[in-house]
Amino acid sequence: MTRNFTGWHMAFIMTSFFGVIIGVNIVLAIFASKSWTGLVVKNSYIASQNFNRDARIARQQHAKGWRLTSIVDHGKVVVTILDQADRPISGLTVAAVLQRPTTEAEDEAHEFQEIGAGKYRSRTAVRPGVWLLDITVRQANHGAMRFVQRVFAKEAPS
């Protein structure tokens, strides 16, 4: 005995189909909103007012020719700062904010100590994962310089 395909069958199929799609979208939207707000700057108007000043500072910094490299060694961030002639620069004050690329919830401030000519190491260990280093370097009687780099920290060896 065969049953006829009725409008009720079609209504059930269409409701089920779109119900699954809408349900999945809601679940994905909830996960997305909990993992990252999407906020890049808190106040875009203020950020736009500072753009020209920040661009001028970046040009001055670029003209100075300093280079900064960073690695994670035994769970601590080590930065090396060289001048235009590839000579290490000592006597700097180095600080950084470590940020996750996808959330502000785990931001960490780190201070660095000089461990050799032009080499500076964070005083505290870095948790494993991908980090953005927002590094501020200050030299006595000079302005601050800012570098942003991405590093990957592995699990620290025991």
Side-chain angles (χ1 to χ4, degrees):
M1 171 167 153
T2 60
R3 297 177 69 174
N4 292 337
F5 187 77
T6 65
W8 288 108
H9 292 113
M10 187 63 189
F12 176 74
I13 290 171
M14 294 301 289
T15 304
S16 299
F17 176 76
F18 285 108
V20 168
I21 290 174
I22 292 169
V24 168
N25 282 334
I26 290 171
V27 168
L28 291 175
I30 290 170
F31 285 140
S33 67
K34 286 184 179 180
S35 66
W36 186 48
T37 63
L39 185 66
V40 177
V41 292
K42 289 185 170 100
N43 187 328
S44 60
Y45 177 75
I46 301 279
S48 71
Q49 298 303 304
N50 295 332
F51 178 80
N52 287 335
R53 184 202 62 192
D54 293 345
R56 179 179 39 79
I57 291 169
R59 284 191 300 274
Q60 291 170 347
Q61 178 176 322
H62 183 71
K64 209 167 188 180
W66 287 13
R67 289 185 301 111
L68 183 140
T69 57
S70 57
I71 61 168
V72 178
D73 184 34
H74 291 86
K76 295 192 177 180
V77 178
V78 177
V79 297
T80 304
I81 304 170
L82 304 173
D83 66 9
Q84 216 165 6
D86 288 336
R87 292 182 303 247
I89 304 171
S90 294
L92 302 173
T93 302
V94 180
V97 175
L98 278 76
Q99 306 164 326
R100 294 287 190 192
T102 57
T103 182
E104 295 175 348
E106 298 183 49
D107 290 2
E108 300 176 352
H110 286 259
E111 292 182 4
F112 289 71
Q113 62 187 16
E114 189 166 4
I115 58 170
K119 285 191 180 256
Y120 301 83
R121 181 176 52 216
S122 62
R123 295 180 188 272
T124 54
V126 177
R127 288 179 287 138
V130 177
W131 293 95
L132 287 178
L133 290 174
D134 190 344
I135 303 167
T136 303
V137 177
R138 297 186 191 284
Q139 189 176 32
N141 301 326
H142 292 15
M145 296 181 75
R146 183 174 171 231
F147 300 88
V148 178
Q149 295 187 346
R150 185 179 293 242
V151 295
F152 177 74
K154 296 180 183 175
E155 192 72 38
S158 301

